[in-house]
Amino acid sequence: RRTAPSHAMPSAPPVEKFRKDYKAPDYNVEQVALTFKLQESTTEVSAVLKVKRADAATDSSSFFLDGEDLVLNKISIDGAELDKGKYTWVQEDLLEIKGPLPASFSLETVVTINPKENFQLSGLYMSSGMYCTQCEAEGFRRITLMQDRPDVMATYKVRIEADKATAPILLSNGNLTNSGVLDSGLHFAEWEDPFPKPSYLFAVVAGDLGSIEDTFTTKSNRTVALKIFSEHRNVDQLDWAMASLKKAMKWDEEAFGLEYDLDVFHIVAVNDFNMGAMENKSLNVFNTSLILAKPSTATDGDYEAIQGVIGHEYFHNWTGNRVTCRDWFQLTLKEGLTVFRDQQFTRAMTSEIVKRINDVRVLRSIQFPEDSGPTAHPIRPESYIAMDNFYTPTVYRKGAEVIRMYHTLLGEQGFRKGMDLYFKRHDGSAVTCDDFRAAMSDANGVNLDQFERWYTQAGTPKLNVKKEYDAGSKTLKITLEQSCKGTPGQDKKEPFHIPVRLGVLSAKSGKPLCAESLLELKEDKKTFEFADIAEEPVLSVLRGYSAPVKLEFDRSEEELAFLMGHDDDSFNRWEAGQTLFTRAILANVAAFQAGNKMGLSDALVEAVRLTLAGKDIEKSLQAMTLTLPSLKALAEELDVVDVDALVASDKFLRQSLAGSLKEELRKVYDANVLPKEPFRNDAEAVGMRRIKNTCLQYLAALKDEEAAELCLKQAKSAGCMTDLVAATNCLASFSTAARDEGIEHFYQQAKGNDLVLCKWFTLQALADTDDALKRVDKLLSHPDFNVKNPNKCRSVIRAFAENLEYFHAKDGSGYKWLADRIQEIDKFNPQVSSRMMGCFSSFRRFDEGRQALMKAQLERMLSTEGLSKDAFEIASKSIKG
């Protein structure tokens, strides 16, 4: 018997892996047969692996298998048990079987694992009484010995045996081939997946689950049986997910010609899950937060997120499963591409412009800071210590923007041609980002060699724009210049290939003076010339946000206000307003720092007044146009983040606009109140709630009795979770009795529902109150809080780290509190702890006092005995800078 080690960092430094060192394996597992005998504390897993030696290997080559946190009871080859001298653990999670070995053979193993004590939630674990798995990126090795790498693709046959009373539902990948009853109250199910897949796509679920069923008829007229499973008490919250799944299946056929390939498609909702969802072949496993929805528990944002993630995981069937990654450095090959696909799906299902704005807001709030910090990395990283740390906004969000640039450069038809060639060449294979780029290039006959720099270089480029107009010759010259600051390990950047969509507009009417252009900047600097431009124009640059860059363009407040009202590109209308808000806030930051009085321009007040009065504007877009940039995005505009000045300036602008436009805000609020019944989540109703609650947020900034009464009235009369959350979020930052009344009212609605309780926790963790840390710390001992549940952790601990003013308290109390939590969580769930560790990564961006306090906590955590390699990697890179 041999116990494979756990996740704790060994005494030797953790091993860093490099993309340049990739080597194909000497052996490949081609078929896997597994038998699970499920018991909470002692699950036995028997495996039979059909192995074939690679042509380039010799019979003396060793065979390496990954294994972690398991007890090896038996190991044999072709039925002959191996002597102990034949195999050895050469690393903490790597078993070597020494050569000589046959050209092909069967490896049989029996291991024991403990799902009940697996709080890493990686491998096979328990959640609310059910067994479930999470194998991406390297969790399969916690189930049994295997080549746990994405370039080893095998077919799987799975037999599951379990107690029928406690686990009547037994699920795995592929199609059900057999089931029956065994002795002693046991039963079994056998599943077979005919499509070769890497081990990270394996899944097993067993438990007492309820479900809903439906069917989908593919374009080739095949019927696919659809089932979504959850705890029995949650079955009434599955209908939206099913509707979303059917829409995703239909959209993928229409947009990309991609049809589903098995007889069944199953989804299971799980309470304890480290990530959002997982695309296991035919058996998706979802965090309950991204599957369960009904009006009394889910917000409009939840509904949209569920639809998008349902689409994302389904779309992985082709972009990730049928064609997968050669190695984990290629993660953006599947994730960046599939995020782009789910974004396009959501745009088709909802509002194209609102979705685009939301995506850019998220990019700027979470990816731009990563790109400017010590953990900056290209979308295709060159190295890692813990692969779980690279499920990042850069790989996902920036990766999607890179795919979007292909779409912009090649056009919709050209992009589709590239996708078709990609599938034709690589279906059933594990490939690289270079293979995808080659398919796009070859299908369209264009050279995309320079475009590779988006894969190899970290950092957010700056795009500087200068305009020169000659009235005599009616000639317009536009000079584009790019630059990019150095990032860790990359001091110098080569020019990127940047697509810039450009509109040339009349300064009188806002109408186009010429057709929209697509400028391609490949040099450090280039001037583009336009003839026959009748008047000096106003430029609409980077339309639709055609590249993930920071725009530097000197424009007057009047010009921005003009674009905000007249640009026919809706994204740039919104962008002009965001630029006006940003300028106002940053000007007040400077005033605050200088000890001067902060101010608000009449032009900005008038621009907001006109937006409030707009009749033709889509209501969701109207709400977004009125929403200030996030504090995180604003912090990116500062060389040194002055927390006190930034928070004060943000509050001043909100309160000043609310005070100047109180009557208009209340009028728009009242005009968009919907009746409680029937609930609607169509675009019009969602837009009405968005603009109403945006106005409420402004009015609540005044912190007066009238605002408190309005918020409390909405909370108590709310007919849906969107309105309840919006009102209580506002109330949480009041210091009156209405605050406590509103929070207690929300709790009474939330009791017994974990997802709604998470919302209740979060609105308190984000509240603007002087005793914020004291209140948040108290939540940790609340009977509904569970530190071992990732959703609960994020709702309190991670949420407080987003509370800029109080997490960054000058005395460092917020930093110490978070570090204490990280040390506690790291002992059982390194994936969650390392993500929280990232809250300290940007410490060099702050003033010297806060820098020192954050660095001290990083050093304290690094000195912790048994620190996981996940947390070690983030902390050490943050310190190194």
Side-chain angles (χ1 to χ4, degrees):
R1 292 166 67 85
R2 173 65 160 87
T3 302
S6 67
H7 68 273
M9 195 180 77
S11 55
V15 177
E16 188 169 12
K17 298 178 182 179
F18 294 88
R19 184 173 71 92
K20 63 181 177 61
D21 295 335
Y22 171 81
K23 179 180 179 296
D26 290 330
Y27 298 85
N28 285 282
V29 176
E30 296 185 337
Q31 297 175 36
V32 178
L34 299 173
T35 299
F36 288 82
K37 295 183 178 180
L38 295 177
Q39 294 187 59
E40 289 188 1
S41 300
T42 54
T43 287
E44 182 183 276
V45 183
S46 301
V48 179
L49 311 181
K50 299 295 184 181
V51 186
K52 185 177 180 181
R53 190 169 64 231
D55 293 340
T58 65
D59 63 355
S60 63
S61 300
S62 293
F63 181 38
F64 292 94
L65 295 157
D66 302 293
E68 181 183 323
D69 272 3
L70 47 82
V71 176
L72 177 57
N73 303 318
K74 184 179 179 181
I75 183 167
S76 58
I77 288 181
D78 292 332
E81 191 163 354
L82 295 184
D83 295 332
K84 289 188 176 180
K86 185 69 174 177
Y87 63 93
T88 183
W89 292 91
V90 292
Q91 293 178 19
E92 64 165 356
D93 59 356
L94 188 66
L95 182 79
E96 178 185 11
I97 301 176
K98 299 170 184 175
L101 292 167
S104 60
F105 58 91
S106 174
L107 177 76
E108 302 96 17
T109 61
V110 180
V111 304
T112 304
I113 54 178
N114 186 347
K116 187 176 181 179
E117 295 300 315
N118 181 4
F119 297 114
Q120 283 195 50
L121 311 185
S122 174
L124 178 68
Y125 65 94
M126 304 291 295
S127 175
S128 301
M130 79 171 83
Y131 298 86
C132 57
T133 56
Q134 170 58 26
C135 294
E136 189 176 1
E138 297 175 336
F140 191 85
R141 66 191 62 190
R142 297 171 57 78
I143 295 173
T144 190
L145 291 169
M146 177 61 179
Q147 291 174 300
D148 196 11
R149 48 189 289 171
D151 58 348
V152 175
M153 302 178 71
T155 58
Y156 281 71
K157 292 182 179 180
V158 179
R159 178 182 172 96
I160 310 165
E161 299 178 8
D163 178 70
K164 189 173 184 179
T166 58
I169 302 296
L170 305 176
L171 305 171
S172 190
N173 310 90
N175 297 318
L176 180 68
T177 58
N178 195 14
S179 62
V181 178
L182 301 171
D183 293 337
S184 304
L186 302 178
H187 71 137
F188 76 94
E190 295 177 351
W191 295 82
E192 182 174 354
D193 184 358
F195 291 95
K197 64 175 178 283
S199 56
Y200 81 85
L201 291 171
F202 173 79
V204 158
V205 172
D208 185 5
L209 302 170
S211 65
I212 63 170
E213 302 180 27
D214 206 334
T215 60
F216 178 79
T217 303
T218 69
K219 64 178 182 176
S220 63
N221 210 34
R222 286 191 310 105
T223 299
V224 181
L226 311 177
K227 263 192 177 183
I228 303 181
F229 298 85
S230 71
E231 293 180 61
H232 291 281
R233 61 178 176 152
N234 293 327
V235 169
D236 66 334
Q237 300 176 63
L238 299 177
D239 290 341
W240 176 251
M242 182 65 81
S244 299
L245 173 60
K246 295 180 73 172
K247 288 178 180 177
M249 297 176 82
K250 182 68 172 174
W251 181 86
D252 213 16
E253 289 184 348
E254 294 173 347
F256 289 99
L258 300 175
E259 184 176 340
Y260 187 62
D261 50 13
L262 284 168
D263 298 333
V264 299
F265 189 89
H266 294 157
I267 297 174
V268 181
V270 177
N271 279 330
D272 302 284
F273 204 70
N274 282 333
M275 305 180 83
M278 181 61 211
E279 70 268 19
N280 315 301
K281 183 75 178 185
S282 77
L283 179 55
N284 287 186
V285 178
F286 270 64
N287 190 315
T288 50
S289 66
L290 288 167
I291 203 81
L292 304 180
K294 62 181 179 181
S296 61
T297 63
T299 64
D300 293 334
D302 293 332
Y303 273 91
E304 185 173 306
I306 288 166
Q307 186 174 68
V309 178
I310 289 279
H312 180 97
E313 304 307 332
Y314 173 76
F315 300 148
H316 265 312
N317 187 57
W318 281 90
T319 51
N321 298 4
R322 291 280 291 256
V323 184
T324 195
C325 306
R326 184 196 73 178
D327 54 72
W328 286 122
F329 299 103
Q330 318 294 331
L331 180 61
T332 199
L333 173 71
K334 74 181 185 77
E335 294 301 346
L337 175 56
T338 307
V339 169
F340 170 76
R341 276 161 40 76
D342 83 55
Q343 290 174 348
Q344 295 295 92
F345 168 62
T346 301
R347 290 173 74 173
M349 296 299 109
T350 58
S351 163
E352 183 173 341
I353 182 57
V354 169
K355 176 58 177 169
R356 185 63 184 138
I357 289 170
N358 267 329
D359 290 336
V360 174
R361 282 182 65 89
V362 171
L363 185 80
R364 289 172 174 169
S365 292
I366 65 174
Q367 195 281 320
F368 278 16
E370 184 170 75
D371 240 351
S372 64
T375 59
H377 54 277
I379 65 169
R380 183 181 61 192
E382 296 297 327
S383 68
Y384 65 82
I385 292 174
M387 184 55 218
D388 289 327
N389 286 333
F390 281 90
Y391 287 76
T392 62
T394 296
V395 167
Y396 279 66
R397 294 285 180 167
K398 187 176 181 180
E401 294 299 317
V402 170
I403 300 298
R404 187 173 299 281
M405 286 190 287
Y406 282 114
H407 191 274
T408 299
L409 289 165
L410 302 175
E412 188 164 348
Q413 290 186 343
F415 185 80
R416 172 66 188 270
K417 284 168 60 180
M419 289 288 287
D420 289 346
L421 182 59
Y422 175 64
F423 293 126
K424 182 179 179 181
R425 284 179 173 177
H426 303 299
D427 186 15
S429 302
V431 298
T432 68
C433 296
D434 291 333
D435 293 318
F436 181 82
R437 184 167 51 86
M440 287 289 158
S441 175
D442 295 346
N444 292 278
V446 297
N447 187 318
L448 292 170
D449 290 350
Q450 186 176 341
F451 196 80
E452 185 187 15
R453 291 173 186 166
W454 286 106
Y455 291 90
T456 61
Q457 297 185 150
T460 305
K462 288 186 177 179
L463 178 68
N464 183 273
V465 180
K466 287 186 171 59
K467 178 185 75 173
E468 182 181 343
Y469 179 72
D470 186 291
S473 62
K474 297 183 179 179
T475 301
L476 171 68
K477 291 182 179 179
I478 298 171
T479 300
L480 304 180
E481 184 174 6
Q482 62 170 298
S483 61
C484 188
K485 288 183 178 180
T487 55
Q490 290 184 336
D491 292 333
K492 179 174 171 52
K493 309 289 183 179
E494 297 298 323
F496 291 87
H497 182 175
I498 303 176
V500 181
R501 285 178 53 202
L502 175 76
V504 180
L505 309 180
S506 167
K508 300 172 184 175
S509 66
K511 293 182 179 180
L513 295 173
C514 61
E516 182 181 294
S517 303
L518 178 62
L519 310 181
E520 297 186 38
L521 179 64
K522 299 181 180 180
E523 303 81 6
D524 287 321
K525 185 177 182 178
K526 184 176 181 180
T527 298
F528 299 84
E529 190 168 313
F530 297 80
D532 298 320
I533 303 300
E535 61 180 84
E536 181 165 0
V538 173
L539 299 186
S540 174
V541 183
L542 214 64
R543 304 187 117 192
Y545 200 59
S546 57
V549 300
K550 293 182 178 179
L551 181 63
E552 294 181 332
F553 189 13
D554 187 18
R555 292 171 290 183
S556 67
E557 195 169 86
E558 290 73 23
E559 190 172 359
L560 288 167
F562 178 84
L563 287 168
M564 193 175 174
H566 296 88
D567 199 330
D568 61 345
D569 182 83
S570 295
F571 180 87
N572 274 6
R573 289 183 70 175
W574 171 81
E575 183 79 302
Q578 293 293 289
T579 304
L580 284 171
F581 284 141
T582 299
R583 285 188 183 182
I585 291 172
L586 296 183
N588 282 328
V589 165
F592 182 93
Q593 291 170 332
N596 297 329
K597 185 178 180 181
M598 292 188 283
L600 174 65
S601 71
D602 292 339
L604 182 55
V605 173
E606 188 57 28
V608 174
R609 191 192 311 277
L610 288 172
T611 301
L612 280 167
K615 300 296 183 185
D616 299 327
I617 187 171
E618 182 183 341
K619 289 185 182 292
S620 284
L621 177 57
Q622 184 183 30
M624 290 189 160
T625 304
L626 294 169
T627 302
L628 301 188
S630 71
L631 290 174
K632 275 192 169 184
L634 290 164
E636 281 295 293
E637 303 297 322
L638 299 170
D639 293 329
V640 176
V641 180
D642 186 332
V643 173
D644 306 309
L646 186 56
V647 170
S649 180
D650 178 79
K651 287 182 180 179
F652 173 83
L653 188 59
R654 291 176 192 277
Q655 291 169 355
S656 299
L657 285 170
S660 299
L661 299 166
K662 184 175 180 179
E663 183 178 334
E664 291 90 336
L665 288 163
R666 183 57 192 264
K667 182 179 179 181
V668 173
Y669 176 92
D670 290 338
N672 286 280
V673 175
L674 285 164
K676 289 177 67 171
E677 299 289 345
F679 172 77
R680 294 164 47 204
N681 70 337
D682 56 84
E684 181 187 30
V686 169
M688 291 177 72
R689 284 191 288 270
R690 275 184 177 147
I691 187 62
K692 177 189 70 175
N693 289 323
T694 299
C695 292
L696 184 67
Q697 289 168 2
Y698 272 106
L699 293 168
L702 296 172
K703 296 287 182 75
D704 57 18
E705 187 175 336
E706 183 181 353
E709 289 177 359
L710 182 62
C711 291
L712 189 58
K713 179 183 177 182
Q714 175 170 314
K716 288 192 168 185
S717 63
C720 63
M721 183 53 59
T722 300
D723 285 345
L724 178 60
V725 167
T728 316
N729 263 330
C730 293
L731 284 170
S733 295
F734 277 73
S735 57
T736 64
R739 176 196 189 278
D740 296 333
E741 188 177 350
I743 288 176
E744 176 59 24
H745 173 76
F746 195 117
Y747 180 70
Q748 294 305 317
Q749 312 303 306
K751 278 195 305 185
N753 187 304
D754 285 335
L755 295 181
V756 183
L757 284 165
C758 284
K759 292 175 169 61
W760 183 75
F761 282 131
T762 296
L763 64 87
Q764 294 175 83
L766 293 173
D768 176 13
T769 57
D770 292 338
D771 59 348
L773 180 56
K774 181 180 177 181
R775 287 178 179 271
V776 170
D777 191 60
K778 188 177 179 181
L779 291 175
L780 298 180
S781 57
H782 193 280
D784 289 310
F785 181 77
N786 177 6
V787 73
K788 291 184 177 178
N789 176 266
N791 288 346
K792 296 285 179 66
C793 277
R794 287 186 280 263
S795 70
V796 176
I797 302 169
R798 188 64 177 83
F800 178 71
E802 298 296 315
N803 193 331
L804 191 73
E805 182 174 6
Y806 300 102
F807 172 61
H808 291 285
K810 284 184 177 180
D811 63 0
S813 55
Y815 305 146
K816 182 181 183 304
W817 182 85
L818 179 60
D820 289 344
R821 305 289 77 73
I822 290 172
Q823 288 181 310
E824 176 188 4
I825 295 165
D826 192 61
K827 294 173 183 176
F828 58 84
N829 196 328
Q831 288 189 46
V832 173
S833 66
S834 65
R835 282 173 173 78
M836 292 183 178
M837 185 77 80
C839 297
F840 291 101
S841 292
S842 60
F843 75 92
R844 286 183 175 82
R845 297 288 320 284
F846 292 81
D847 58 83
E848 290 183 3
R850 288 182 170 95
Q851 278 191 44
L853 291 166
M854 280 191 271
K855 185 178 180 183
Q857 295 303 325
L858 281 168
E859 291 172 339
R860 176 167 76 93
M861 289 184 284
L862 269 175
S863 68
T864 302
E865 184 177 353
L867 185 72
S868 70
K869 66 180 182 180
D870 307 61
F872 171 84
E873 180 171 29
I874 301 299
S876 59
K877 286 184 176 180
S878 299
I879 290 282
K880 184 178 178 181

